[in-house]
Amino acid sequence: DAKTTQPNSMESNEEEPVHLPCNHSTISGTDYIHWYRQLPSQGPEYVIHGLTSNVNNRMASLAIAEDRKSSTLILHRATLRDAAVYYCILNTGNQFYFGTGTSLTVIP
Amino acid sequence: DAGITQSPRYKITETGRQVTLMCHQTWSHSYMFWYRQDLGHGLRLIYYSAAADITDKGEVPDGYVVSRSKTENFPLTLESATRSQTSVYFCASSESPAGGYGYTFGSGTRLTVV
């Protein structure tokens, strides 16, 4: 199963950018990289995904390394509402395998 | 309303009882999934289904049974509940994960087995 490695926790000051790293050295050529986040007492919600090129949407940006063995989720200006657990996931076939994610604390 | 709904939201049951958690989606997504979430383990895949009448095991299928007679429904049954099955259960659906389509998750069912 394709696995990802993320730091257990990170902190950021409010209104500063946050870079959440993820290593996925076993990624195969057709695996998409997905990011989800989970707010307290809620189900995970989609943030962004990509295959080879960097991606931007209204929530975040995804920077994918050239060899695709790592990626970084970028929140451009962290807000208190961004405090959550962030999961980096590779889709292996039609299944998503979640790790334990990175717990992001935003400091006012 | 369109979406994915889980019921009940909370459930307390006794050891040895059968309990069924319901999941319903309105998008006609082909794929549906059941995950459980426990402290320190993140989300772990229990079972998934690629289409009606097609189901397959995930990482932690023991003690669970699923069925998918209709595309929109994917119930999860604990045939004889145990305390170790106390957890938060999430259902999800997707059109085609391998094609880059993401998952949409329900709000979860918090199950306590006493």
Side-chain angles (χ1 to χ4, degrees):
Chain A
D1 302 333
K3 299 295 185 192
T4 61
T5 305
Q6 299 176 253
N8 287 334
S9 62
M10 291 184 65
E11 287 186 351
S12 173
N13 292 319
E14 194 176 10
E15 299 194 1
E16 290 188 357
V18 184
H19 290 234
L20 298 167
C22 181
N23 289 320
H24 29 77
S25 58
T26 61
I27 192 170
S28 65
T30 57
D31 287 344
Y32 282 83
I33 301 158
H34 292 257
W35 283 83
Y36 281 71
R37 72 179 187 181
Q38 187 173 22
L39 302 172
S41 301
Q42 295 188 24
E45 64 175 355
Y46 170 82
V47 177
I48 201 166
H49 78 284
L51 185 60
T52 55
S53 304
N54 295 344
V55 183
N56 299 295
N57 66 21
R58 64 173 182 83
M59 289 181 71
S61 295
L62 176 60
I64 301 172
E66 209 168 317
D67 63 5
R68 299 212 321 130
K69 294 188 176 183
S70 66
S71 61
T72 302
L73 177 71
I74 302 164
L75 307 179
H76 296 286
R77 287 182 66 215
T79 70
L80 296 178
R81 288 174 292 182
D82 290 323
V85 178
Y86 287 79
Y87 296 97
C88 167
I89 303 154
L90 300 183
N91 67 311
T92 300
N94 288 307
Q95 304 162 33
F96 281 11
Y97 288 94
F98 287 74
T100 52
T102 297
S103 179
L104 176 66
T105 300
V106 180
I107 302 167
Chain B
D1 290 341
I4 183 164
T5 55
Q6 293 184 236
S7 60
R9 190 70 197 272
Y10 302 93
K11 177 74 177 178
I12 299 174
T13 192
E14 293 178 340
T15 301
R17 290 199 179 260
Q18 182 180 69
V19 60
T20 296
L21 309 184
M22 304 302 293
C23 180
H24 174 80
Q25 53 111 351
T26 60
W27 292 294
S28 298
H29 283 165
S30 298
Y31 289 83
M32 296 188 74
F33 307 84
W34 275 106
Y35 287 86
R36 60 177 289 174
Q37 185 169 35
D38 306 292
L39 204 61
H41 285 281
L43 284 91
R44 292 181 291 175
L45 181 65
I46 305 172
Y47 268 96
Y48 67 102
S49 168
D53 297 321
I54 300 175
T55 62
D56 210 343
K57 296 178 180 179
E59 301 171 81
V60 289
D62 292 343
Y64 303 96
V65 174
V66 293
S67 62
R68 191 149 177 226
S69 57
K70 293 183 178 181
T71 300
E72 61 267 29
N73 296 322
F74 191 38
L76 176 73
T77 298
L78 289 67
E79 292 193 304
S80 179
T82 65
R83 288 197 179 90
S84 65
Q85 292 177 309
T86 292
S87 187
V88 181
Y89 292 85
F90 289 101
C91 177
S93 71
S94 178
E95 179 53 36
S96 175
Y101 290 87
Y103 283 20
T104 302
F105 283 84
S107 299
T109 294
R110 183 175 294 275
L111 176 68
T112 302
V113 183
V114 298

